Amino acid sequence: MPDVPVSLSAAVMNGRDMADEPSRARGPWGNAESEGLGLPARLTLDGVVPFLIRHALLDPREVVDQRVRVVDVSRRNSNVVVHRAAGTGYFIKQSRDATGEMAMTVANEAMFYAFCAHDPRGEPVRAFVPRHVTYVADADVLVTSLVEDATSLWQRCEAQSTAVGVGTAARLGSVLSTLHQTGREVAVADVNAFGRGAPWALSARTPGPEFLTHASLGQVQVTRILQEDTSLSAGLDALQAEARVETLIHGDLKADNILIGRHDQALLVVVDWELAHIGDPAWDVGSTFFDFLRFWLTSIPLSHARPERSAVRIDGPLRSVQSAIRAFWDAYRSSAKLEGVEASTFLERAARFCAARLVQGAYELTHEATEISRLGVLMLQVASNMFAGPDAAVRQIFAIPHIT
């Protein structure tokens, strides 16, 4: 959408319409910054500036001098970017459904940022996440600092038609290990702070009755394949039984949720913590493996050839992906101090989580499809092979040598 021009008169008029009821964020870290003056149930684009002014986050003189620019960047949630000529901008997120599951995930993300900002245990990860500004619980509005002069890792790779660089992969491995080490104490000491459990993909082959009310025909096909393929069904069942609940994890790690600097090569910020929970750190690692592999899988020309015939033509992209995977794993392993059998066991479990993430990817591809695509079939085939032989996947697909 185009930028929205901001006028002080509109800000004042909209400000008068806002309720004067105080609001307070929920969460164990008692975020005092969340106390505000309230706002309507939905924060409109025209209401962003009055909201920021009333919460003392914007000086009206900035508006008079036309030093504020508001841009709608909505996706699953209502998202707004506020650029400021003077000072750090803001990223504002509000769920589209203030009472449903989406509102719960935004509140969960706010709780994570509050933990990082206010709890001394969150200090090690503060440099790698957006700065928490405020959360107005009544309207489910989360405000964080804007990560300036940055782009998503996925956008960078698409623009350059390359896989993730080795240096970026290594930095991500170190950052993720730091998060997982930081979150272990939270998992023990704050048992009610975050949700706990395993990824939904592990139970995908046995969906509940609600699945039929919203599943596409393509997703029904994916479910049928999961139920008929013994490697997939057995692999998902075994992983569900083995999944650990031991530390704070991101839960939705992918290149789209990783921001890197356009000019600052050292900048790496992980965003979108809506699904943060206490779970298995190998899920985050496996999700990263999947996301790197996605660059390879999407490079395979499937339109006029069978996947097995096309695969021989993509050795170059695969080698680049393997280099990134090795750099990521080496950095993660080194930072986490994983050695010997412990490292081998963790890596094997992460490979199987990668297979589960491939299954989830097939569902995501068929969200509105009437049938599963060739890429979706390829994802399920690779997942089946990885479940059947995770050790072989580590050596042949990831190109990670045997750990001693």
Side-chain angles (χ1 to χ4, degrees):
M1 294 183 62
D3 297 355
V4 176
V6 177
S7 67
L8 183 60
S9 60
V12 173
M13 291 300 295
N14 282 324
R16 291 181 186 145
D17 293 335
M18 301 172 83
D20 291 327
E21 303 297 329
S23 61
R24 186 180 301 273
R26 307 175 184 89
W29 287 277
N31 175 20
E33 290 181 345
S34 65
E35 296 182 22
L37 298 177
L39 71 169
R42 303 306 307 161
L43 183 62
T44 65
L45 207 57
D46 288 338
V48 168
V49 165
F51 165 74
L52 293 174
I53 291 175
R54 295 186 63 141
H55 286 77
L57 299 176
L58 197 64
D59 189 326
R61 289 173 295 184
E62 294 183 64
V63 183
V64 173
D65 295 339
Q66 297 184 342
R67 291 182 293 164
V68 179
R69 188 161 54 94
V70 180
V71 184
D72 188 336
V73 292
S74 296
R75 298 174 66 177
R76 191 172 69 94
N77 293 295
S78 297
N79 300 328
V80 174
V81 168
V82 179
H83 296 280
R84 302 168 65 200
T88 303
Y90 300 115
F91 184 87
I92 303 175
K93 177 186 288 189
Q94 184 181 41
S95 67
R96 296 185 187 275
D97 179 5
T99 60
E101 181 179 345
M102 293 174 67
M104 294 175 61
T105 63
V106 173
N108 189 65
E109 182 173 19
M111 184 166 61
F112 172 79
Y113 288 138
F115 160 72
C116 293
H118 303 296
D119 194 311
R121 293 170 298 178
E123 192 277 333
V125 298
R126 285 176 194 163
F128 313 122
V129 302
R131 181 177 60 85
H132 178 265
V133 176
T134 190
Y135 175 61
V136 181
D138 293 358
D140 194 41
V141 174
L142 171 63
V143 183
T144 62
S145 62
L146 182 65
V147 183
E148 307 279 1
D149 195 29
T151 185
S152 78
L153 181 56
W154 181 255
Q155 289 176 321
R156 168 70 63 81
C157 292
E158 274 200 320
Q160 298 180 351
S161 298
T162 59
V164 178
V166 170
T168 300
R171 290 201 303 277
L172 178 58
S174 297
V175 168
L176 189 59
S177 175
T178 300
L179 165 69
H180 291 163
Q181 293 176 69
T182 300
R184 291 184 184 279
E185 186 180 348
V186 177
V188 174
D190 300 284
V191 295
N192 297 318
F194 293 93
R196 296 168 179 254
W200 68 263
L202 303 188
S203 57
R205 79 176 190 88
T206 56
E210 69 280 358
F211 172 77
L212 296 177
T213 65
H214 60 76
S216 69
L217 292 177
Q219 290 176 327
V220 172
Q221 284 186 328
V222 173
T223 303
R224 185 180 301 115
I225 293 172
L226 297 184
Q227 294 170 343
E228 294 174 352
D229 187 298
T230 55
S231 292
L232 289 173
S233 58
L236 290 170
D237 289 348
L239 198 51
Q240 187 173 28
E242 298 170 28
R244 303 181 182 184
V245 181
E246 61 184 31
T247 191
L248 183 62
I249 69 174
H250 183 278
D252 190 27
L253 203 59
K254 54 188 176 183
D256 210 30
N257 291 336
I258 299 166
L259 302 182
I260 57 175
R262 288 192 173 92
H263 301 99
D264 183 357
Q265 298 298 313
L267 178 65
L268 190 151
V269 177
V270 183
V271 300
D272 201 352
W273 293 83
E274 291 184 48
L275 300 184
H277 66 281
I278 308 301
D280 195 323
W283 169 254
D284 277 350
V285 173
S287 294
T288 305
F289 288 160
F290 157 77
D291 214 52
F292 289 178
L293 286 178
R294 190 161 55 123
F295 292 103
W296 166 53
L297 294 173
T298 55
S299 72
I300 299 175
L302 301 176
S303 57
H304 300 295
R306 294 181 180 178
E308 61 268 26
R309 294 180 180 175
S310 302
V312 297
R313 300 163 56 188
I314 43 74
D315 286 345
L318 179 57
R319 284 194 294 270
S320 297
V321 166
Q322 289 170 336
S323 297
I325 287 176
R326 285 195 302 272
F328 165 79
W329 168 247
D330 288 344
Y332 182 93
R333 175 190 173 190
S334 175
S335 178
K337 297 179 172 57
L338 293 173
E339 299 291 344
V341 174
E342 183 183 15
S344 297
T345 301
F346 185 100
L347 180 58
E348 186 266 353
R349 196 167 78 256
R352 290 188 290 144
F353 270 124
C354 177
R357 188 60 183 83
L358 282 161
V359 170
Q360 181 175 317
Y363 272 104
E364 292 167 348
L365 279 176
T366 54
H367 175 59
E368 296 180 341
T370 57
E371 62 180 5
I372 185 171
S373 66
R374 293 184 179 184
L375 178 57
V377 172
L378 178 60
M379 283 184 171
L380 293 178
Q381 182 61 62
V382 174
S384 179
N385 294 340
M386 293 180 73
F387 272 132
D391 291 337
V394 167
R395 295 192 308 272
Q396 297 171 12
I397 299 180
F398 298 164
I400 296 176
H402 179 69
I403 298 174
T404 56

Short mmCIF file of all heavy atoms in Angstrom, two decimals, residues 107-144:
data_model
loop_
_atom_site.label_atom_id
_atom_site.label_comp_id
_atom_site.label_asym_id
_atom_site.label_seq_id
_atom_site.Cartn_x
_atom_site.Cartn_y
_atom_site.Cartn_z
N ALA A 107 -0.03 -11.59 22.10
CA ALA A 107 0.23 -11.42 23.54
C ALA A 107 1.43 -12.25 23.97
O ALA A 107 2.25 -11.80 24.80
CB ALA A 107 -1.01 -11.84 24.33
N ASN A 108 1.58 -13.42 23.37
CA ASN A 108 2.72 -14.26 23.69
C ASN A 108 4.02 -13.60 23.23
O ASN A 108 5.04 -13.63 23.94
CB ASN A 108 2.55 -15.63 23.02
CG ASN A 108 3.58 -16.64 23.47
OD1 ASN A 108 3.61 -17.03 24.63
ND2 ASN A 108 4.44 -17.07 22.55
N GLU A 109 3.99 -13.02 22.04
CA GLU A 109 5.18 -12.32 21.54
C GLU A 109 5.52 -11.14 22.44
O GLU A 109 6.69 -10.89 22.74
CB GLU A 109 4.95 -11.85 20.11
CG GLU A 109 6.15 -11.16 19.50
CD GLU A 109 5.96 -10.84 18.02
OE1 GLU A 109 4.80 -10.82 17.55
OE2 GLU A 109 6.97 -10.62 17.34
N ALA A 110 4.50 -10.42 22.90
CA ALA A 110 4.72 -9.28 23.79
C ALA A 110 5.37 -9.74 25.09
O ALA A 110 6.27 -9.07 25.63
CB ALA A 110 3.40 -8.57 24.09
N MET A 111 4.94 -10.89 25.60
CA MET A 111 5.52 -11.42 26.82
C MET A 111 7.00 -11.77 26.63
O MET A 111 7.83 -11.54 27.50
CB MET A 111 4.73 -12.65 27.30
CG MET A 111 5.20 -13.20 28.63
SD MET A 111 4.04 -14.36 29.37
CE MET A 111 4.00 -15.65 28.12
N PHE A 112 7.33 -12.32 25.45
CA PHE A 112 8.73 -12.64 25.19
C PHE A 112 9.58 -11.38 25.16
O PHE A 112 10.67 -11.32 25.76
CB PHE A 112 8.87 -13.39 23.86
CG PHE A 112 10.30 -13.57 23.43
CD1 PHE A 112 11.07 -14.57 23.99
CD2 PHE A 112 10.89 -12.72 22.50
CE1 PHE A 112 12.41 -14.74 23.62
CE2 PHE A 112 12.21 -12.87 22.13
CZ PHE A 112 12.97 -13.89 22.69
N TYR A 113 9.11 -10.33 24.47
CA TYR A 113 9.87 -9.10 24.40
C TYR A 113 9.99 -8.46 25.79
O TYR A 113 11.03 -7.86 26.12
CB TYR A 113 9.22 -8.12 23.43
CG TYR A 113 9.37 -8.51 21.97
CD1 TYR A 113 8.31 -8.38 21.09
CD2 TYR A 113 10.57 -8.99 21.48
CE1 TYR A 113 8.44 -8.73 19.75
CE2 TYR A 113 10.72 -9.34 20.15
CZ TYR A 113 9.64 -9.21 19.28
OH TYR A 113 9.77 -9.57 17.97
N ALA A 114 8.93 -8.56 26.60
CA ALA A 114 8.99 -8.02 27.96
C ALA A 114 10.04 -8.77 28.78
O ALA A 114 10.77 -8.18 29.57
CB ALA A 114 7.62 -8.12 28.63
N PHE A 115 10.10 -10.08 28.58
CA PHE A 115 11.13 -10.87 29.26
C PHE A 115 12.52 -10.39 28.88
O PHE A 115 13.39 -10.18 29.74
CB PHE A 115 10.96 -12.35 28.92
CG PHE A 115 12.19 -13.18 29.16
CD1 PHE A 115 12.59 -13.48 30.44
CD2 PHE A 115 12.95 -13.67 28.09
CE1 PHE A 115 13.75 -14.23 30.68
CE2 PHE A 115 14.09 -14.41 28.31
CZ PHE A 115 14.49 -14.70 29.61
N CYS A 116 12.75 -10.22 27.59
CA CYS A 116 14.07 -9.77 27.13
C CYS A 116 14.42 -8.39 27.67
O CYS A 116 15.57 -8.11 28.02
CB CYS A 116 14.12 -9.75 25.60
SG CYS A 116 14.01 -11.38 24.83
N ALA A 117 13.42 -7.51 27.76
CA ALA A 117 13.67 -6.13 28.16
C ALA A 117 13.83 -5.96 29.66
O ALA A 117 14.65 -5.14 30.10
CB ALA A 117 12.53 -5.24 27.67
N HIS A 118 13.09 -6.72 30.46
CA HIS A 118 13.01 -6.44 31.89
C HIS A 118 13.62 -7.50 32.79
O HIS A 118 13.87 -7.23 33.96
CB HIS A 118 11.54 -6.24 32.28
CG HIS A 118 10.85 -5.16 31.52
ND1 HIS A 118 11.23 -3.84 31.60
CD2 HIS A 118 9.82 -5.20 30.64
CE1 HIS A 118 10.46 -3.11 30.81
NE2 HIS A 118 9.59 -3.91 30.22
N ASP A 119 13.84 -8.68 32.29
CA ASP A 119 14.40 -9.74 33.11
C ASP A 119 15.90 -9.84 32.85
O ASP A 119 16.32 -9.95 31.70
CB ASP A 119 13.72 -11.08 32.78
CG ASP A 119 14.01 -12.15 33.81
OD1 ASP A 119 15.19 -12.35 34.16
OD2 ASP A 119 13.05 -12.81 34.27
N PRO A 120 16.72 -9.80 33.89
CA PRO A 120 18.18 -9.89 33.68
C PRO A 120 18.59 -11.15 32.91
O PRO A 120 19.60 -11.14 32.20
CB PRO A 120 18.74 -9.91 35.11
CG PRO A 120 17.70 -9.23 35.94
CD PRO A 120 16.38 -9.60 35.31
N ARG A 121 17.79 -12.21 33.01
CA ARG A 121 18.13 -13.44 32.28
C ARG A 121 17.98 -13.26 30.77
O ARG A 121 18.53 -14.04 29.99
CB ARG A 121 17.24 -14.59 32.76
CG ARG A 121 17.50 -15.01 34.21
CD ARG A 121 16.43 -15.97 34.69
NE ARG A 121 15.10 -15.35 34.67
CZ ARG A 121 13.97 -15.98 35.01
NH1 ARG A 121 14.02 -17.24 35.39
NH2 ARG A 121 12.82 -15.35 34.96
N GLY A 122 17.23 -12.25 30.35
CA GLY A 122 17.05 -12.00 28.93
C GLY A 122 18.14 -11.17 28.29
O GLY A 122 18.17 -10.99 27.07
N GLU A 123 19.07 -10.67 29.11
CA GLU A 123 20.11 -9.78 28.61
C GLU A 123 20.94 -10.37 27.47
O GLU A 123 21.25 -9.67 26.50
CB GLU A 123 21.02 -9.36 29.77
CG GLU A 123 21.97 -8.22 29.44
CD GLU A 123 23.23 -8.70 28.75
OE1 GLU A 123 23.62 -9.88 28.97
OE2 GLU A 123 23.82 -7.92 27.98
N PRO A 124 21.30 -11.68 27.50
CA PRO A 124 22.15 -12.22 26.42
C PRO A 124 21.51 -12.16 25.03
O PRO A 124 22.23 -12.19 24.03
CB PRO A 124 22.38 -13.68 26.85
CG PRO A 124 22.22 -13.66 28.33
CD PRO A 124 21.13 -12.66 28.59
N VAL A 125 20.18 -12.09 24.94
CA VAL A 125 19.53 -12.11 23.62
C VAL A 125 18.98 -10.75 23.20
O VAL A 125 18.41 -10.62 22.12
CB VAL A 125 18.39 -13.16 23.57
CG1 VAL A 125 18.94 -14.56 23.79
CG2 VAL A 125 17.31 -12.84 24.58
N ARG A 126 19.15 -9.74 24.03
CA ARG A 126 18.57 -8.43 23.70
C ARG A 126 19.10 -7.86 22.41
O ARG A 126 18.38 -7.18 21.68
CB ARG A 126 18.84 -7.44 24.85
CG ARG A 126 17.97 -7.67 26.07
CD ARG A 126 18.34 -6.74 27.20
NE ARG A 126 17.74 -7.21 28.44
CZ ARG A 126 18.12 -6.83 29.65
NH1 ARG A 126 19.13 -5.96 29.77
NH2 ARG A 126 17.53 -7.30 30.73
N ALA A 127 20.36 -8.12 22.12
CA ALA A 127 20.96 -7.55 20.91
C ALA A 127 20.44 -8.19 19.64
O ALA A 127 20.63 -7.65 18.55
CB ALA A 127 22.48 -7.70 20.97
N PHE A 128 19.73 -9.32 19.77
CA PHE A 128 19.30 -10.07 18.59
C PHE A 128 17.79 -10.02 18.37
O PHE A 128 17.27 -10.73 17.50
CB PHE A 128 19.75 -11.53 18.71
CG PHE A 128 21.18 -11.69 19.12
CD1 PHE A 128 21.53 -12.40 20.26
CD2 PHE A 128 22.20 -11.11 18.37
CE1 PHE A 128 22.85 -12.55 20.64
CE2 PHE A 128 23.53 -11.24 18.74
CZ PHE A 128 23.86 -11.96 19.88
N VAL A 129 17.07 -9.21 19.16
CA VAL A 129 15.62 -9.10 19.00
C VAL A 129 15.25 -7.62 18.99
O VAL A 129 15.99 -6.78 19.50
CB VAL A 129 14.87 -9.83 20.14
CG1 VAL A 129 15.25 -11.30 20.19
CG2 VAL A 129 15.13 -9.16 21.49
N PRO A 130 14.10 -7.26 18.41
CA PRO A 130 13.67 -5.86 18.44
C PRO A 130 13.48 -5.40 19.89
O PRO A 130 13.09 -6.18 20.76
CB PRO A 130 12.34 -5.87 17.68
CG PRO A 130 12.39 -7.11 16.84
CD PRO A 130 13.17 -8.10 17.64
N ARG A 131 13.71 -4.13 20.14
CA ARG A 131 13.53 -3.58 21.49
C ARG A 131 12.05 -3.43 21.80
O ARG A 131 11.28 -2.90 21.02
CB ARG A 131 14.22 -2.22 21.60
CG ARG A 131 14.11 -1.58 23.00
CD ARG A 131 14.88 -0.27 23.05
NE ARG A 131 14.38 0.69 22.07
CZ ARG A 131 13.33 1.51 22.28
NH1 ARG A 131 12.67 1.46 23.43
NH2 ARG A 131 12.97 2.35 21.34
N HIS A 132 11.67 -3.93 22.95
CA HIS A 132 10.28 -3.82 23.40
C HIS A 132 9.98 -2.37 23.75
O HIS A 132 10.74 -1.71 24.45
CB HIS A 132 10.07 -4.71 24.62
CG HIS A 132 8.69 -4.63 25.20
ND1 HIS A 132 8.35 -3.81 26.24
CD2 HIS A 132 7.55 -5.29 24.87
CE1 HIS A 132 7.07 -3.97 26.53
NE2 HIS A 132 6.57 -4.85 25.72
N VAL A 133 8.86 -1.83 23.25
CA VAL A 133 8.45 -0.46 23.54
C VAL A 133 7.23 -0.45 24.44
O VAL A 133 7.27 0.09 25.55
CB VAL A 133 8.17 0.34 22.24
CG1 VAL A 133 7.66 1.74 22.56
CG2 VAL A 133 9.43 0.42 21.38
N THR A 134 6.14 -1.05 24.01
CA THR A 134 4.94 -1.13 24.84
C THR A 134 4.00 -2.19 24.31
O THR A 134 4.09 -2.59 23.14
CB THR A 134 4.22 0.23 24.92
OG1 THR A 134 3.20 0.18 25.92
CG2 THR A 134 3.58 0.59 23.58
N TYR A 135 3.11 -2.65 25.16
CA TYR A 135 2.05 -3.56 24.76
C TYR A 135 0.77 -3.13 25.47
O TYR A 135 0.74 -3.05 26.70
CB TYR A 135 2.39 -5.00 25.12
CG TYR A 135 1.26 -5.97 24.83
CD1 TYR A 135 0.77 -6.14 23.54
CD2 TYR A 135 0.67 -6.71 25.86
CE1 TYR A 135 -0.25 -7.02 23.28
CE2 TYR A 135 -0.37 -7.59 25.61
CZ TYR A 135 -0.83 -7.74 24.30
OH TYR A 135 -1.86 -8.60 24.04
N VAL A 136 -0.26 -2.81 24.70
CA VAL A 136 -1.55 -2.42 25.25
C VAL A 136 -2.46 -3.64 25.17
O VAL A 136 -2.98 -3.99 24.10
CB VAL A 136 -2.16 -1.23 24.49
CG1 VAL A 136 -3.49 -0.82 25.10
CG2 VAL A 136 -1.19 -0.05 24.52
N ALA A 137 -2.63 -4.30 26.29
CA ALA A 137 -3.31 -5.59 26.30
C ALA A 137 -4.77 -5.48 25.90
O ALA A 137 -5.31 -6.36 25.23
CB ALA A 137 -3.19 -6.22 27.69
N ASP A 138 -5.44 -4.39 26.31
CA ASP A 138 -6.87 -4.27 26.04
C ASP A 138 -7.19 -4.37 24.55
O ASP A 138 -8.23 -4.89 24.16
CB ASP A 138 -7.41 -2.94 26.57
CG ASP A 138 -7.37 -2.87 28.08
OD1 ASP A 138 -6.96 -3.88 28.70
OD2 ASP A 138 -7.73 -1.82 28.64
N ALA A 139 -6.29 -3.81 23.74
CA ALA A 139 -6.51 -3.81 22.29
C ALA A 139 -5.55 -4.72 21.56
O ALA A 139 -5.58 -4.78 20.34
CB ALA A 139 -6.39 -2.39 21.75
N ASP A 140 -4.71 -5.41 22.31
CA ASP A 140 -3.76 -6.35 21.71
C ASP A 140 -2.86 -5.65 20.70
O ASP A 140 -2.66 -6.12 19.58
CB ASP A 140 -4.52 -7.51 21.05
CG ASP A 140 -3.60 -8.68 20.72
OD1 ASP A 140 -2.74 -8.99 21.55
OD2 ASP A 140 -3.74 -9.26 19.63
N VAL A 141 -2.28 -4.53 21.10
CA VAL A 141 -1.38 -3.76 20.24
C VAL A 141 0.03 -3.85 20.81
O VAL A 141 0.28 -3.46 21.96
CB VAL A 141 -1.81 -2.29 20.13
CG1 VAL A 141 -0.78 -1.48 19.35
CG2 VAL A 141 -3.17 -2.19 19.46
N LEU A 142 0.93 -4.36 20.00
CA LEU A 142 2.33 -4.50 20.38
C LEU A 142 3.17 -3.50 19.60
O LEU A 142 3.04 -3.39 18.37
CB LEU A 142 2.81 -5.93 20.09
CG LEU A 142 4.31 -6.21 20.22
CD1 LEU A 142 4.79 -6.00 21.65
CD2 LEU A 142 4.62 -7.63 19.74
N VAL A 143 4.03 -2.77 20.30
CA VAL A 143 4.92 -1.81 19.66
C VAL A 143 6.36 -2.18 20.00
O VAL A 143 6.71 -2.32 21.17
CB VAL A 143 4.65 -0.37 20.12
CG1 VAL A 143 5.55 0.62 19.37
CG2 VAL A 143 3.18 0.00 19.93
N THR A 144 7.17 -2.34 18.97
CA THR A 144 8.60 -2.58 19.16
C THR A 144 9.38 -1.57 18.34
O THR A 144 8.82 -0.87 17.49
CB THR A 144 9.00 -4.01 18.72
OG1 THR A 144 8.73 -4.16 17.32
CG2 THR A 144 8.23 -5.06 19.52
#
